[in-house]
Amino acid sequence: MMRRPRATTGKVVKYRDMDSDRSFSLTVSSDEDNEEWRPPEPKPKAPIKNAPAAGEKKAAAKRTAKPKEPKAPKEPKDPKPRAPRKPAAERKTRAPTMLKNSGTSAVAGRKRKKNDDVKNDDMAEEDKIENQTKCPEGEGAQESGQSNRMKEERVSFSVSEAHDTDRWADEGPSLSGFRLKKEEVKEENFTFDEPCLKKQKTSGACLGQPTALPLSEEQTLRNELNMDWDLTKLLSTLTCVEQWVCANIITLLREENTVPFMVRYRKEMINHMDADAVRDVLLVYEELCTLAKKTQSVIHTLKKDGVLTAELEQNLRHCRSADELDHVYSPYKKGSKLTKARRAKALGLEVPASALMDTPHTLDLREWVKPDTQGLSSVEEVARGVEHILADMIAKDPETLTYVKTLCENSFVTIQSSVSKTALKEKEQGTTVQSHQNPGAQRNKNIDKFHLYCDFTCNVQRIQPHQTLAINRGESLKILTVKVNFPDRVRSDFTRWCINNRWRPKTFARGELQALIRNAVEDSYKRLILPFLTRSYRIKLTVAAEKESIAMFVRNLRQLLLVCPVRGCVIMGVDPGFRNGCKLAILSPTGQILHTDIVYLHDSGQRREADKLRHLMIKYSVTRVALGNGTACRETESFFTDLISSRYFHPLDVSYCITNEAGASIYSVSPEAVKEMPDLDPNLRSAVSIGRRVQDPMAELVKIDPKHIGIGTYQHDVTAGALKAALDGVVQECVSFVGVDINMCSETLMRHVAGLNVGRARNIAEWREQNGPFINREQLKLVKGMGPKTYQQCAGFIRINPQTLHSAKSSPHPVPAVTVKPAAKRGKGKACVNIPTSFNPLDQTCIHPESYHVAQRFLSLIGGSADQIGSVGLQQCVENKVKTSSVEELARTVDTTPETLKLIIDGLTQPPGFDIRQNFGQADFKRGIVSMSDLRVGAVLTGRVENTALFGAFVDIGVGRSGLIHKSNITLDKVPVSQRRRSLALGPGERVEVRVLNVDLQRGRIGLDLIRVLE
């Protein structure tokens, strides 16, 4: 039924007078104290509060943003480059009334808070951490938009400051002097506790890209979704990304483009967003598409059951999150008991309920009394049925839900956890029965782990992601009881607004009918709306926490994969052990297995084993030793240290490093390891994996499931599918941006290149075995399963290295002609493909084949040739040309975009064999150790970050235990400028200089202070 608009003269409610009777009503922050709230104005006056209207308003703003130039009123595409940024920032600050109503998906509208979670068994770590954090400020979603800056979200690695806007998708520039002449000064934005804005281009050059999808494609998409909202506008609202960028991303995704391809070769279309930001938009896009499919399924089910009405269908198509859809659909689910409202409607009381709102002066409840019918036998029962129907209408009214959510967003809503009755009962039973095998003992230990949350209360706007995940885990273990507390003022203000505004009868209503409406409002709030709000907050917090946890996984994995390889030396991998001995694997500089053995370094025959070790190291000229950090690591390290200090391996200068062996045992028994090393014992395979992790970390780590590598925290508390998709995405991203030498990389590494999969990688490897090395990229078209789209996605990330090509050609294996066999083999479309058989120098660069003609034009312009790629002479020619003309002018000359030209310049000037990982730290090799007991407060040490969490960074300082740098000690002045846009500004593998703050030998804890990040 249609309701008249609520009155615009709402009562002003100030938040200074918080309810003092609630035990958790703490002092509110100053911004909340001074904030004055009014009920939402009518929709025409505040269109930004409605998500779909936000996009429309934004478009209008862009058209009117530049009417200062009266000569060009009909050219809206000129101001487009700058216009999208400001509304996006303003929308971030003003909008989120409706944005936060979006439940699960709305959380994606905020950039990740740059924090992570505690480790799986790091509940004890929080003991000293939580006392320092104490719910740090989390109103970043409101504060981060107070300026119109577009935060350039950091990419995990930036090869050169000269091309900071291009980030590592360009594989790093080789000339530091190349710069766009028109650059904007990037504003410093260094926040630890605030969620950051989505990474958006600061230069505003959108190069005339469309602000919407083509009409035909937009209509097709709308027909596919069949929802009441516009996908592009809603996606823009939820992700805080410009609408034209969202439209382009949707187009690229529907064309089956991969994220690495978009980030590197379609920069102008995505406004220079980094891979993480594009992936966030992709996730929200997929959520909305899934929501649309689920909505269609629900509508079909309800129509089949005969309970679908026009009003219900409209409410379903209006839902913008899975939570809202579940709220509307839950009363009609099969198996759920009939709701009170549906029972009342079945008795025919919907008519008097409508009359109560529309014509109460004519309503007489006594007319509906039927003494012989249960539920209608008295006026009281009729009134109760009408109340239930009205309560159900109130709880499902979108405007009412928007209002109550707005009240909650501007109130002190808290989440509270306490020990459950079950846990308390088991704890009491465990204390009365003193037994070593008492089953309650384990539960008591678990309760001690959660002691920080046994009496925990925090504002929902300030709770940290790791706290949310810890509470959820405690609740799933039935140790904690969790509830969301709403101030009493929310209930009173909501009741008053409903009675006086939204649900006020159109005509005069008698006193008993007014009381009936009041009872319906109160019943709706307590029985229906309050549980819905509780679920919404819990789901919203959980989704946000999971995204933070996954984001930390992604950041940590990316930095591990990009650790610089140790090349040019023979390495011995050691898998330490006591009873079963230490497994050794000696690897050549290229990773080939030279020798494997087992030595028993911790038995009585140590001298004999030491002689054997020296013989092997001198025979194979081993100068680097990689020790796994598992069992017997410290004892094995001490053994090697004693030998090194006594110059036992003279004349070799031997050093060692400790590497994380997480996942090595799992990999050693995997099908990939069996195929690669069929005749090797699984224990020796682990030693091989440990050694190769130092030689080429990325090539070895991609063989292992990312969740087994030992990064991040709370991996068992997040959605497995989302975690796997994110980690697989970052592996593909790193492998693609580093690039693979197609003639020497393994099949396992190849399958992670953008556009390739297991089957295509296998086909490439088989083609390489049958036909010899690839001479150029064009030959990829001859491989089975390599269609135009696949070739487009992967070609730019595949390299043809002339050195490896020459060595492969000079190998004793015959190289048959590639022009005959593929043609005969491929009878369907492949035989007619004209493939050149000569080497193209551009195939060793990051330049995509689709831009080869542009690269040739540019070389002609500067007077160079492709044979000079990477030479000093060509670099000088390019530098001189860029000095005389800007990149934009040169791009217009060669008929391309500045982004493509910059990529071409990088590809032409980078030296042969350039690797973006060479600017990142290698493993730390050392010759001696210290113990934890040798540490003294105030000592200054250097170490390497092992892992990061929401509350700080764990650093290996070489004493067997990692120390913790709390996030409060990671401040702006201690980190390089290039890292000030990241969460903790630290990540795995980074070298740091630290000062010892405290040492707890009993608990094995070391507190550190960050002095500086070592370059």
Side-chain angles (χ1 to χ4, degrees):
M1 84 187 60
M2 299 300 295
R3 298 292 309 130
R4 62 178 182 174
R6 63 177 185 271
T8 59
T9 57
K11 179 180 178 182
V12 175
V13 182
K14 295 188 178 180
Y15 284 90
R16 283 189 276 268
D17 31 338
M18 299 295 293
D19 296 336
S20 58
D21 57 335
R22 301 193 66 84
S23 59
F24 56 84
S25 297
L26 308 176
T27 304
V28 191
S29 61
S30 59
D31 60 337
E32 287 180 339
D33 288 341
N34 299 327
E35 187 180 10
E36 186 172 80
W37 178 89
R38 291 181 174 83
E41 299 294 334
K43 291 180 181 177
K45 192 171 182 179
I48 293 181
K49 293 194 175 187
N50 194 322
E56 299 168 4
K57 188 71 177 176
K58 174 182 165 188
K62 285 189 281 187
R63 285 191 294 271
T64 58
K66 204 153 182 169
K68 298 179 182 178
E69 302 173 1
K71 293 185 179 181
K74 285 194 146 191
E75 294 184 22
K77 290 189 177 180
D78 285 342
K80 293 278 193 234
R82 298 176 187 81
R85 302 193 332 259
K86 194 162 185 174
E90 293 173 352
R91 182 171 63 247
K92 183 90 174 176
T93 57
R94 296 181 294 167
T97 301
M98 201 60 193
L99 195 153
K100 292 186 180 180
N101 296 341
S102 306
T104 305
S105 300
V107 182
R110 311 186 189 108
K111 188 63 183 169
R112 296 186 288 270
K113 290 183 183 175
K114 303 297 184 186
N115 297 320
D116 198 28
D117 327 75
V118 286
K119 284 189 175 182
N120 218 7
D121 53 354
D122 273 345
M123 290 296 178
E125 285 293 329
E126 297 180 31
D127 191 1
K128 67 174 182 179
I129 293 161
E130 290 301 328
N131 293 330
Q132 301 181 41
T133 56
K134 290 187 180 179
C135 305
E137 292 76 20
E139 303 93 359
Q142 299 172 1
E143 298 173 357
S144 60
Q146 291 179 356
S147 66
N148 289 331
R149 66 178 184 256
M150 290 294 99
K151 180 171 183 179
E152 178 108 4
E153 171 63 7
R154 63 99 186 164
V155 180
S156 300
F157 46 94
S158 177
V159 179
S160 170
E161 294 180 3
H163 287 281
D164 194 43
T165 56
D166 279 345
R167 299 296 180 183
W168 60 289
D170 292 338
E171 296 188 341
S174 53
L175 290 180
S176 59
F178 296 155
R179 225 181 246 279
L180 286 176
K181 289 192 175 180
K182 298 180 181 179
E183 285 189 348
E184 293 190 5
V185 179
K186 298 176 184 175
E187 185 175 344
E188 291 300 333
N189 192 353
F190 185 75
T191 55
F192 292 145
D193 298 324
E194 299 180 5
C196 61
L197 289 174
K198 196 69 61 182
K199 189 267 186 189
Q200 300 176 32
K201 174 64 178 172
T202 54
S203 70
C206 48
L207 301 175
Q209 295 302 319
T211 59
L213 292 170
L215 291 179
S216 58
E217 187 173 350
E218 182 178 3
Q219 187 60 39
T220 302
L221 189 59
R222 183 179 288 273
N223 293 338
E224 290 179 3
L225 298 179
N226 198 13
M227 299 294 283
D228 285 349
W229 34 260
D230 181 83
L231 177 62
T232 306
K233 294 178 181 178
L234 182 57
L235 186 63
S236 175
T237 302
L238 296 180
T239 58
C240 297
V241 174
E242 293 95 332
Q243 189 172 328
W244 68 270
V245 178
C246 291
N248 287 338
I249 290 178
I250 292 174
T251 301
L252 291 170
L253 291 175
R254 290 173 65 85
E255 293 174 355
E256 300 179 353
N257 291 285
T258 61
V259 172
F261 178 82
M262 288 190 284
V263 171
R264 173 174 290 178
Y265 299 113
R266 296 295 183 264
K267 291 180 183 179
E268 66 278 3
M269 293 186 68
I270 63 173
N271 210 15
H272 292 245
M273 294 170 67
D274 62 31
D276 287 336
V278 175
R279 200 175 291 112
D280 286 343
V281 177
L282 170 61
L283 290 176
V284 180
Y285 169 73
E286 290 177 347
E287 287 177 3
L288 293 177
C289 292
T290 303
L291 174 65
K293 292 180 181 178
K294 187 176 179 181
T295 302
Q296 305 309 322
S297 176
V298 168
I299 291 175
H300 178 73
T301 301
L302 295 178
K303 186 181 295 184
K304 187 176 179 181
D305 294 341
V307 295
L308 183 67
T309 63
E311 183 180 2
L312 177 58
E313 183 176 0
Q314 182 180 2
N315 290 337
L316 289 170
R317 295 193 188 281
H318 186 72
C319 293
R320 304 186 180 191
S321 69
D323 187 37
E324 289 185 15
L325 179 64
D326 184 68
H327 177 66
V328 177
Y329 175 51
S330 57
Y332 303 94
K333 287 182 179 179
K334 289 183 179 180
S336 61
K337 62 181 181 180
L338 207 60
T339 61
K340 294 180 178 181
R342 291 184 66 185
R343 286 198 294 267
K345 289 179 180 179
L347 294 173
L349 293 179
E350 193 169 6
V351 175
S354 301
L356 177 61
M357 290 288 97
D358 298 331
T359 56
H361 61 284
T362 64
L363 178 62
D364 186 359
L365 297 180
R366 290 173 295 184
E367 297 177 357
W368 297 88
V369 175
K370 296 181 181 179
D372 298 333
T373 304
Q374 185 178 0
L376 300 176
S377 60
S378 64
V379 176
E380 290 76 13
E381 289 188 354
V382 172
R384 194 178 302 114
V386 173
E387 284 180 13
H388 293 158
I389 294 176
L390 186 56
D392 183 71
M393 293 165 56
I394 293 173
K396 292 180 180 177
D397 178 54
E399 186 176 352
T400 302
L401 292 177
T402 299
Y403 180 83
V404 72
K405 287 180 180 179
T406 305
L407 283 176
C408 293
E409 289 164 8
N410 294 280
S411 300
F412 193 76
V413 180
T414 61
I415 185 170
Q416 180 181 356
S417 66
S418 57
V419 183
S420 65
K421 294 181 180 179
T422 304
L424 286 175
K425 186 177 180 180
E426 292 184 2
K427 186 176 182 179
E428 291 174 359
Q429 292 175 352
T431 55
T432 55
V433 181
Q434 299 296 331
S435 173
H436 292 290
Q437 296 183 351
N438 177 25
Q442 183 63 33
R443 179 58 62 91
N444 291 342
K445 288 182 64 176
N446 289 337
I447 293 178
D448 293 338
K449 277 187 177 182
F450 291 94
H451 74 279
L452 289 172
Y453 304 101
C454 290
D455 186 16
F456 175 83
T457 301
C458 185
N459 190 337
V460 293
Q461 295 180 350
R462 304 184 182 192
I463 189 170
Q464 297 298 307
H466 73 281
Q467 294 172 333
T468 301
L469 293 174
I471 289 174
N472 290 350
R473 181 188 294 179
E475 186 180 33
S476 65
L477 295 174
K478 298 183 179 179
I479 295 175
L480 300 177
T481 299
V482 186
K483 62 179 180 178
V484 180
N485 295 322
F486 299 87
D488 289 341
R489 189 170 50 79
V490 173
R491 176 184 55 79
S492 59
D493 288 353
F494 173 76
T495 303
R496 184 166 49 250
W497 176 81
C498 286
I499 294 175
N500 296 333
N501 292 69
R502 176 62 178 162
W503 298 94
R504 185 175 63 187
K506 291 184 178 180
T507 61
F508 174 75
R510 300 185 301 275
E512 63 271 17
L513 296 182
Q514 289 284 6
L516 190 151
I517 295 175
R518 173 177 288 274
N519 292 339
V521 171
E522 293 177 349
D523 177 58
S524 177
Y525 177 80
K526 181 179 180 180
R527 183 169 56 87
L528 301 173
I529 293 179
L530 213 54
F532 168 71
L533 293 174
T534 300
R535 288 195 308 271
S536 296
Y537 272 107
R538 292 295 305 277
I539 291 174
K540 191 181 300 184
L541 292 175
T542 299
V543 170
E546 286 188 356
K547 288 187 176 181
E548 290 300 319
S549 180
I550 292 174
M552 187 59 74
F553 268 100
V554 166
R555 289 193 289 269
N556 290 348
L557 178 60
R558 182 185 286 120
Q559 297 225 196
L560 278 181
L561 293 176
L562 295 172
V563 171
C564 184
V566 177
R567 303 188 187 278
C569 63
V570 179
I571 286 184
M572 174 186 288
V574 181
D575 185 5
F578 287 117
R579 184 170 56 184
N580 296 323
C582 298
K583 281 69 68 177
L584 309 179
I586 300 177
L587 307 175
S588 71
T590 58
Q592 300 299 316
I593 302 175
L594 302 178
H595 182 78
T596 59
D597 211 330
I598 299 178
V599 293
Y600 298 88
L601 305 180
H602 310 298
D603 290 342
S604 56
Q606 287 186 345
R607 179 54 57 184
R608 182 182 68 255
E609 298 299 306
D611 291 340
K612 180 179 180 181
L613 201 60
R614 179 175 60 179
H615 170 72
L616 291 175
M617 297 185 73
I618 293 177
K619 178 180 179 180
Y620 294 102
S621 301
V622 178
T623 57
R624 298 287 186 269
V625 179
L627 299 177
N629 65 345
T631 305
C633 170
R634 304 306 295 181
E635 291 77 8
T636 306
E637 180 186 15
S638 177
F639 183 86
F640 271 94
T641 301
D642 293 341
L643 296 180
I644 292 173
S645 60
S646 63
R647 299 177 58 83
Y648 191 74
F649 302 115
H650 185 76
L652 297 177
D653 182 16
V654 178
S655 58
Y656 70 91
C657 71
I658 297 178
T659 186
N660 188 356
E661 66 175 31
S665 299
I666 297 175
Y667 165 71
S668 65
V669 295
S670 66
E672 288 84 359
V674 173
K675 181 180 178 181
E676 185 179 2
M677 299 171 278
D679 302 327
L680 215 56
D681 182 82
N683 293 321
L684 294 174
R685 292 175 191 155
S686 297
V688 174
S689 177
I690 290 172
R692 287 177 174 173
R693 287 187 187 197
V694 176
Q695 283 188 319
D696 193 343
M698 186 177 72
E700 189 64 24
L701 291 176
V702 295
K703 302 175 183 178
I704 304 168
D705 192 337
K707 66 183 180 183
H708 295 145
I709 297 179
I711 53 172
T713 53
Y714 284 99
Q715 70 180 48
H716 300 294
D717 297 291
V718 301
T719 306
L723 178 62
K724 185 179 186 307
L727 296 184
D728 289 346
V730 76
V731 170
Q732 182 190 66
E733 171 190 330
C734 293
V735 172
S736 300
F737 289 159
V738 170
V740 298
D741 186 342
I742 195 65
N743 289 322
M744 67 174 293
C745 70
S746 65
E747 180 183 323
T748 306
L749 181 64
M750 206 187 308
R751 67 181 60 158
H752 293 286
V753 176
L756 300 183
N757 53 27
V758 177
R760 291 166 186 158
R762 186 189 310 115
N763 293 338
I764 292 176
E766 291 175 354
W767 195 97
R768 187 173 60 188
E769 292 176 2
Q770 296 173 4
N771 300 280
F774 287 88
I775 299 175
N776 52 53
R777 285 172 172 168
E778 290 288 318
Q779 288 183 335
L780 288 169
K781 297 178 180 179
L782 300 173
V783 177
K784 178 182 178 181
M786 187 69 67
K789 176 57 70 173
T790 302
Y791 177 78
Q792 179 196 41
Q793 298 300 304
C794 73
F797 306 116
I798 288 177
R799 306 282 188 273
I800 308 292
N801 192 318
Q803 285 79 19
T804 57
L805 176 62
H806 177 73
S807 61
K809 281 186 174 182
S810 60
S811 63
H813 302 288
V815 182
V818 296
T819 54
V820 178
K821 188 165 185 177
K825 181 181 177 182
R826 304 299 303 162
K828 194 173 182 179
K830 297 283 185 180
C832 59
V833 178
N834 186 16
I835 302 298
T837 58
S838 59
F839 171 70
N840 188 340
L842 294 176
D843 287 342
Q844 61 182 312
T845 69
C846 60
I847 304 173
H848 197 280
E850 67 184 9
S851 301
Y852 280 2
H853 63 287
V854 179
Q856 293 292 353
R857 284 202 298 266
F858 180 73
L859 285 170
S860 301
L861 182 65
I862 64 175
S865 66
D867 295 330
Q868 298 176 287
I869 287 177
S871 65
V872 178
L874 185 63
Q875 291 180 6
Q876 191 65 39
C877 291
V878 173
E879 186 176 358
N880 294 336
K881 194 66 177 178
V882 171
K883 284 181 179 178
T884 57
S885 303
S886 67
V887 176
E888 290 91 341
E889 294 174 357
L890 292 174
R892 286 193 293 269
T893 304
V894 296
D895 191 21
T896 188
T897 63
E899 288 76 10
T900 301
L901 182 58
K902 289 179 67 178
L903 188 64
I904 291 174
I905 290 175
D906 289 337
L908 295 177
T909 56
Q910 286 166 353
F914 177 80
D915 192 332
I916 62 173
R917 295 174 294 174
Q918 67 190 26
N919 291 323
F920 297 88
Q922 291 183 338
D924 281 329
F925 288 91
K926 51 187 179 179
R927 296 173 176 81
I929 61 171
V930 294
S931 65
M932 189 172 174
S933 59
D934 296 329
L935 292 178
R936 295 291 179 268
V937 175
V940 176
L941 306 168
T942 59
R944 190 172 291 277
V945 178
E946 274 196 336
N947 201 357
T948 56
L950 174 70
F951 46 79
F954 293 95
V955 180
D956 179 12
I957 54 176
V959 297
R961 297 284 295 185
S962 296
L964 173 67
I965 307 177
H966 190 264
K967 69 174 184 179
S968 61
N969 295 321
I970 306 174
T971 55
L972 176 65
D973 57 323
K974 298 178 182 179
V975 297
V977 176
S978 61
Q979 294 178 248
R980 292 180 183 176
R981 290 181 176 84
R982 293 164 45 181
S983 58
L984 292 170
L986 296 177
E990 296 195 66
R991 296 183 65 246
V992 292
E993 186 176 24
V994 296
R995 180 183 290 106
V996 179
L997 296 180
N998 54 73
V999 181
D1000 188 342
L1001 294 175
Q1002 183 177 0
R1003 305 172 73 183
R1005 293 183 177 181
I1006 306 169
L1008 302 175
D1009 179 25
L1010 176 66
I1011 297 178
R1012 64 191 178 100
V1013 178
L1014 300 176
E1015 298 292 342

